[in-house]
Amino acid sequence: MLDAPKAVCAAIGAIFILAALAPAAAQAGSHGAALNQRERSLLSVVNEVRGNHGLRPLKVDPALARAARSYTATMIRTDVFTHGDMFGRLLESGARGPMYGENLAWGTGPYATARRVVSGWLASPGHRANLLRPGWDRIGLGALEGNFLGYPGATVVTADFAGR
């Protein structure tokens, strides 16, 4: 198991946890998760970037989407920007692995657009590794706006990845 660095970047944090044979939790429902506009934009840019690197697009996983959106709401509510127990959250949500990764971001104004968020991830080695991991096949996105760390109208993002 790889542990994430202890220091979290001021605007973006990444974690990459591998679980060789993580228990398969309850299967997600057969219906796709409804994405808000910010999440649809992020998914589009993420899949565009993956395609530009010869990787297959990611499909939205309802369990990962619920976990990502719930965690984003928690970060906004508590005014805390950290991964916390990402592995535990994903297993509790019913997400299937066996491997998981997570990218976080937040910003305001032009720093909150999907392109800026993904560009920031690409500029950071840990985030880039998560975003461009060939074994991922599923993603869950949580992108919500709120007052965060003293900034009104901030967009906070959680991207949870799963696959091999």
Side-chain angles (χ1 to χ4, degrees):
M1 187 179 306
L2 298 175
D3 291 276
K6 293 187 190 224
V8 176
C9 182
I12 302 174
I15 192 169
F16 185 57
I17 294 181
L18 307 177
L21 295 170
Q27 297 281 331
S30 61
H31 297 54
L35 301 178
N36 66 36
Q37 179 57 45
R38 286 179 185 88
E39 294 159 350
R40 284 192 304 272
S41 293
L42 277 163
L43 180 63
S44 177
V45 175
V46 163
N47 281 335
E48 176 186 322
V49 166
R50 286 179 60 83
N52 290 343
H53 287 85
L55 300 169
R56 67 178 177 248
L58 301 176
K59 294 181 179 157
V60 175
D61 179 295
L64 289 171
R66 281 190 307 275
R69 191 172 293 147
S70 174
Y71 193 61
T72 296
T74 296
M75 286 192 294
I76 291 171
R77 187 182 75 255
T78 60
D79 229 19
V80 172
F81 187 68
T82 183
H83 292 281
D85 181 13
M86 188 269 301
F87 186 68
R89 276 188 286 111
L90 293 178
L91 287 179
E92 189 175 294
S93 76
R96 299 172 290 113
M99 298 167 71
Y100 303 96
E102 180 171 86
N103 284 359
L104 302 177
W106 77 272
T108 60
Y111 298 100
T113 66
R115 288 221 178 268
R116 280 305 263 285
V117 166
V118 174
S119 291
W121 288 340
L122 287 169
S124 162
H127 299 92
R128 183 182 185 87
N130 271 345
L131 186 63
L132 299 179
R133 181 173 176 78
W136 296 150
D137 55 14
R138 291 165 283 124
I139 190 171
L141 293 162
L144 302 171
E145 186 177 315
N147 293 323
F148 189 64
L149 299 176
Y151 291 89
T155 298
V156 180
V157 176
T158 303
D160 288 325
F161 304 93
R164 298 207 173 275

